Amino acid sequence: MKKKVTIIIPAYNEADNINPVFDKLEEVFQTLNYDWDVIFVDDGSTDETLEVLIKLSQKSNLKYISLSRNFGKDEAIKAGIDHVNADLVITMDADLQHPPSLIPEMINKWEEGYKVIYAYRRGKNPHVSYFSKLFSSLFWILLSKLSGLKLEEGISDFRVIDKKVVMVLKSLDEYGLFLRGMVKWVGFKQLGIEYVPDERFSGETTYSKKALFKLAIYGITSFSTKPLYAAIYLGFIFSTLSLLYIPYIIISICYDLEVPGWSSTIMTIVFFGGLQLIMLGVIGVYIGKMFMQTKNRPNYIIQLNNIESE
C-alpha cells in the first residue's frame, strides 16, 4: 500500500498562483510512488482565490479550506494540519518561491529516518532590497538569541513533517502561533536543507516588515522569558547609575553652586520615561498573551471546506 503525502498550502490573495503551483506539484509527484493530495487554505482572501479553488476542487486530490477572515499564515497552516490524515505532511507557500523540485530530496531524507526536514535560505534573498536583507538578518539574529531556539537565518515554512510530529502539533493549542519555532521545539530527528528561493510567480508579497516584526514578538514571547529578565537588568543598571547623582547634589549643596540642570533634567525624565514604557510594554505583551489564551478562542474559523475533520 502506497504511503500518503498531503501538501498544505496557505493562500492569501493568490488566485493567479493556485493553478501553476498545483501543476508543478503534479509534475513532481508523477515521478514519485506515493498517493498524494493538496489542501489549500484560503486565509480570508479578497480576490478570486476561493473561486479558483472551488473550480479546481473537481480534481479528486485537491481539497480546500476557506477561513472566515484573514487569521494569519501560521493559523492557516494550523487549520490544514488539524484536518490532515497522512503519513507525511508538506507545508509550503503558494507563490512558487519554495521550489517543488526540492520535494523528492526532502522525502528521501524522511525515508532515511528524519521526522522533520525544513528548508532554509542559502545566503541573502536575491529578490529583495538591501534594506530588506539587512532587516531580515537582524530579525533572525535577535529571534534566535532571545527565543532560545536555534533558528537558521532564512528558515522557511517549506518543510516535511512526519505524522508523529503532526499529531503533536495537532495537540498544541496556544494563542499567537509561531510554527517555525513550534516545529523546532517539539524535537524529534530534524534536518535543515539549504535552498535558493525562486522568484515569486505572480503578484506581490503580502508579508510586510510590520508582519515580520509581529512575528518576532510572537516568536520571542512564545518561547522565552528573556525580555522580562532584560527589563529587570536594565532597571537595576539604571537605578545604580542614578546613584552617581548623589555626590553631585551633595557638592552643589555644600558649595552653594548653581544647578542650572533644566535641560539635563528634562532629558533624564524623557529617557527614563521611555525606558519605563518599554519595560511596561514587554510585561504587557506577556500579560496580553495570557489574557487572550484564557479566552480560549479558536485560532481560526472555517466558513467553507470540502473535507471532513480528521
Side-chain angles (χ1 to χ4, degrees):
M1 186 175 180
K2 292 183 180 180
K3 296 176 182 178
K4 184 179 179 182
V5 178
T6 296
I7 303 99
I8 297 173
I9 304 178
Y12 178 66
N13 293 342
E14 300 283 4
D16 294 333
N17 293 324
I18 299 299
N19 280 287
V21 71
F22 186 80
D23 291 342
K24 288 289 185 180
L25 289 172
E26 277 192 318
E27 291 178 13
V28 168
F29 278 92
Q30 283 176 356
T31 65
L32 300 174
N33 189 30
Y34 295 91
D35 287 330
W36 69 283
D37 62 6
V38 182
I39 298 177
F40 282 94
V41 185
D42 171 35
D43 189 22
S45 298
T46 57
D47 65 355
E48 304 299 318
T49 295
L50 181 57
E51 288 76 8
V52 173
L53 289 175
I54 292 175
K55 183 178 180 179
L56 196 60
S57 65
Q58 296 173 2
K59 298 186 177 183
S60 60
N61 60 339
L62 187 142
K63 306 293 189 296
Y64 67 86
I65 297 172
S66 177
L67 305 185
S68 61
R69 64 171 177 83
N70 179 242
F71 284 89
K73 182 180 180 182
D74 283 10
E75 284 75 9
I77 295 175
K78 184 63 161 59
I81 288 175
D82 289 343
H83 290 78
V84 75
N85 183 22
D87 298 293
L88 183 64
V89 171
I90 300 173
T91 64
M92 62 186 299
D93 291 349
D95 56 12
L96 284 174
Q97 285 195 302
H98 295 161
S101 58
L102 191 60
I103 289 177
E105 179 184 350
M106 299 173 81
I107 292 180
N108 286 338
K109 294 298 182 182
W110 172 67
E111 293 284 8
E112 292 175 9
Y114 290 96
K115 300 303 181 185
V116 176
I117 302 94
Y118 57 89
Y120 64 95
R121 189 180 61 245
R122 180 190 303 138
K124 306 299 181 183
N125 190 339
H127 308 300
V128 299
S129 65
Y130 172 79
F131 180 78
S132 294
K133 293 176 184 177
L134 178 61
F135 185 84
S136 178
S137 295
L138 293 175
F139 164 77
W140 288 112
I141 291 172
L142 180 66
L143 189 58
S144 294
K145 293 293 185 182
L146 295 182
S147 68
L149 299 171
K150 183 182 178 182
L151 298 169
E152 293 88 346
E153 180 178 344
I155 188 171
S156 70
D157 288 310
F158 189 17
R159 64 177 75 89
V160 166
I161 314 172
D162 183 82
K163 62 181 179 181
K164 290 183 178 180
V165 180
V166 170
M167 291 302 295
V168 175
L169 293 176
K170 283 184 178 184
S171 69
L172 299 178
D173 185 23
E174 63 181 65
Y175 172 78
L177 296 174
F178 179 54
L179 285 176
R180 297 180 206 188
M182 291 171 69
V183 171
K184 280 272 192 173
W185 176 83
V186 298
F188 295 95
K189 189 177 181 181
Q190 301 196 13
L191 176 69
I193 294 179
E194 291 184 340
Y195 85 108
V196 178
D198 292 332
E199 192 169 0
R200 183 179 174 85
F201 182 81
S202 177
E204 297 182 358
T205 180
T206 57
Y207 216 64
S208 63
K209 293 179 178 63
K210 180 180 178 181
L212 198 63
F213 181 75
K214 184 178 178 181
L215 180 68
I217 297 296
Y218 276 174
I220 293 168
T221 56
S222 292
F223 294 93
S224 175
T225 57
K226 288 181 180 179
L228 291 175
Y229 287 101
I232 294 173
Y233 295 147
L234 281 174
F236 179 77
I237 290 171
F238 283 105
S239 294
T240 303
L241 290 176
S242 67
L243 297 177
L244 297 176
Y245 277 105
I246 295 176
Y248 175 76
I249 294 171
I250 293 174
I251 293 173
S252 298
I253 293 173
C254 291
Y255 292 93
D256 194 26
L257 297 176
E258 183 181 358
V259 184
W262 184 87
S263 298
S264 60
T265 300
I266 294 299
M267 289 299 296
T268 301
I269 292 173
V270 171
F271 177 77
F272 284 102
L275 185 64
Q276 288 174 340
L277 287 176
I278 292 173
M279 294 178 180
L280 288 173
V282 170
I283 296 171
V285 169
Y286 284 94
I287 294 175
K289 287 173 72 73
M290 289 189 291
F291 171 70
M292 294 302 295
Q293 188 69 43
T294 57
K295 285 179 174 291
N296 201 30
R297 291 175 180 171
N299 283 309
Y300 57 86
I301 299 172
I302 297 175
Q303 67 173 345
L304 187 66
N305 73 90
N306 67 340
I307 57 177
E308 296 296 330
S309 178
E310 300 292 347

